[in-house]
Amino acid sequence: SSSLLPLKMWSTTDFEFGKPLGKGRFGAVYLAREKNTHFILAFKVIFKSALEKSQLEHQLRREIEILSHLRHPNILRMYNYFHDQTRIFLMLEYAPKGELYKELQKKKRFDDTRTATYMEEISDALMYCHAQKVIHRDIKPENLLLGLRGELKLADFGWSVHAPSLRRTTLCGTTDYLAPEMIEGSPHNENVDVWCVGVLCYECLAGYAPFEAPTRIETFRRIREVNLEFPPWMSDGARDLISKVLNRIPSLRLPLQEIIKHPWVKSKSRRILPPVFNDLEE
Ligand SMILES: CC(=O)N[C@H]1CCN(c2c(Cl)cnc3[nH]c(-c4cn(C)nc4C)nc23)C1
């Protein structure tokens, strides 16, 4: 059986590299193709020198440890990883339809069917993460990719690689998705993820984030007060779901299991699951 074979040690010579898909502080993500099988994947290259300067080695180790065990149709897969003298290489699933936030910028806003489908997909992915004791997956449109059938792929693994056009140019990244308990610095649990699902649902349907404000301080105040106003085009079903998820008290937020069963999600979602097939190392 394949378990008797020594685990294949990959190297860059096994691949042909294509265009950069995104660039970041630590390196870049390239399109790549395995030479023998022509298998297409995304290669994240991280420079050890940049990593050492930022003391993020432990975070990268933790992220690699977590990601290598997560297998879910709506979580971007990490097939393997290896390193050479100067760089670390993460072999990642390639998401052919790119980044959700670019799609949102293009379409301005999504309809109920598309948004409810995303809500079912991301809730299922997060239920799977929470079952593996993995929380706080920095959910925001920049960290969500789209698979072959347009399905959501949670692509977060610690620090985001920004494609050439940065979306939110605020200093420390977007504040729109921070949960109240994160702003107050109180301990956060997996319910921060549930809050982000509510913010994402609103942003997909409205075309802008629910607590957006000219300054970060005002955004923080709107978050703490859960100052929610819905655009006229937002359906009652969506307003009901968002109001039950965006609760200031983490434990009172509608749990993921209930989001998936919510009448608006049940009636509007058109989720399709990809067929399971053998992937790179099997
Ligand atoms: C948060 C983050 O990692 N952002 C980006 C950088 C490239 N990366 C990708 C990763 Cl890690 C995986 N698959 C991707 N597919 C694409 C992409 C496809 N199109 C048509 N356009 C793009 C862009 N990008 C990726 C994710």
Side-chain angles (χ1 to χ4, degrees):
S1 80
S2 67
S3 59
L4 300 178
L5 300 175
L7 258 187
K8 163 96 184 154
M9 293 308 287
W10 295 100
S11 93
T12 50
T13 55
D14 296 313
F15 303 92
E16 287 151 340
F17 286 87
K19 62 171 183 171
L21 294 165
K23 291 191 184 323
R25 273 183 301 163
F26 300 94
V29 180
Y30 296 89
L31 195 57
R33 185 172 78 171
E34 202 276 327
K35 284 175 181 167
N36 301 325
T37 58
H38 281 191
F39 189 86
I40 297 284
L41 68 164
F43 244 92
K44 185 164 181 176
V45 182
I46 298 159
F47 286 92
K48 291 181 178 177
S49 54
L51 204 57
E52 274 137 24
K53 280 195 208 93
S54 64
Q55 281 91 39
L56 281 174
E57 296 93 323
H58 66 281
Q59 185 194 359
L60 178 63
R61 245 183 277 281
R62 191 174 58 80
E63 289 295 337
I64 290 176
E65 177 53 32
I66 289 171
L67 262 184
S68 49
H69 293 97
L70 292 183
R71 304 210 176 173
H72 186 280
N74 301 111
I75 297 175
L76 196 80
R77 179 85 192 281
M78 185 179 78
Y79 304 116
N80 212 321
Y81 61 96
F82 58 92
H83 64 96
D84 65 12
Q85 220 68 16
T86 56
R87 297 162 298 180
I88 298 162
F89 300 92
L90 307 187
M91 294 164 62
L92 301 170
E93 176 184 358
Y94 171 64
K97 292 204 168 163
E99 298 169 285
L100 179 75
Y101 86 83
K102 279 195 187 138
E103 186 68 11
L104 187 51
Q105 279 177 339
K106 199 172 89 184
K107 295 272 174 39
K108 297 299 165 232
R109 60 180 199 251
F110 299 145
D111 63 23
D112 280 18
T113 303
R114 189 175 174 133
T115 305
T117 306
Y118 289 156
M119 290 309 113
E120 186 179 1
E121 291 168 341
I122 194 161
S123 299
D124 197 48
L126 288 171
M127 277 160 60
Y128 173 80
C129 288
H130 293 175
Q132 324 261 329
K133 291 290 154 233
V134 173
I135 62 161
H136 198 41
R137 321 278 306 153
D138 190 8
I139 301 132
K140 54 191 175 198
E142 288 87 337
N143 283 345
L144 295 169
L145 295 167
L146 297 168
L148 195 59
R149 293 169 190 78
E151 75 274 23
L152 266 196
K153 297 275 180 180
L154 191 51
D156 164 66
F157 29 85
W159 49 85
S160 66
V161 175
H162 293 291
S165 58
L166 290 183
R167 180 174 193 267
R168 291 185 171 97
T169 52
T170 43
L171 281 180
C172 72
T174 174
T175 50
D176 291 316
Y177 279 70
L178 285 177
E181 61 270 26
M182 297 289 280
I183 293 176
E184 281 144 19
S186 21
H188 64 266
N189 62 16
E190 66 269 20
N191 287 316
V192 289
D193 288 340
V194 180
W195 174 274
C196 293
V197 170
V199 176
L200 179 71
C201 188
Y202 184 106
E203 180 164 2
C204 284
L205 291 166
Y208 52 85
F211 308 111
E212 249 171 22
T215 68
R216 277 151 53 90
I217 302 300
E218 275 176 79
T219 302
F220 288 167
R221 188 175 49 71
R222 290 197 63 199
I223 292 171
R224 277 202 312 276
E225 290 168 3
V226 193
N227 169 254
L228 259 185
E229 281 160 38
F230 297 113
W233 59 79
M234 205 178 278
S235 65
D236 292 345
R239 293 174 191 225
D240 180 71
L241 174 67
I242 291 166
S243 311
K244 288 173 179 167
V245 172
L246 294 182
N247 191 306
R248 205 178 160 338
I249 317 286
S251 57
L252 295 183
R253 290 168 197 157
L254 198 68
L256 296 166
Q257 296 75 356
E258 297 307 313
I259 293 177
I260 282 186
K261 287 188 239 166
H262 186 278
W264 177 76
V265 176
K266 293 292 291 175
S267 63
K268 296 290 180 180
S269 171
R270 295 286 171 275
R271 187 190 187 196
I272 37 168
L273 280 172
V276 184
F277 60 94
N278 267 346
D279 52 22
L280 210 53
E281 83 276 9
E282 272 144 21

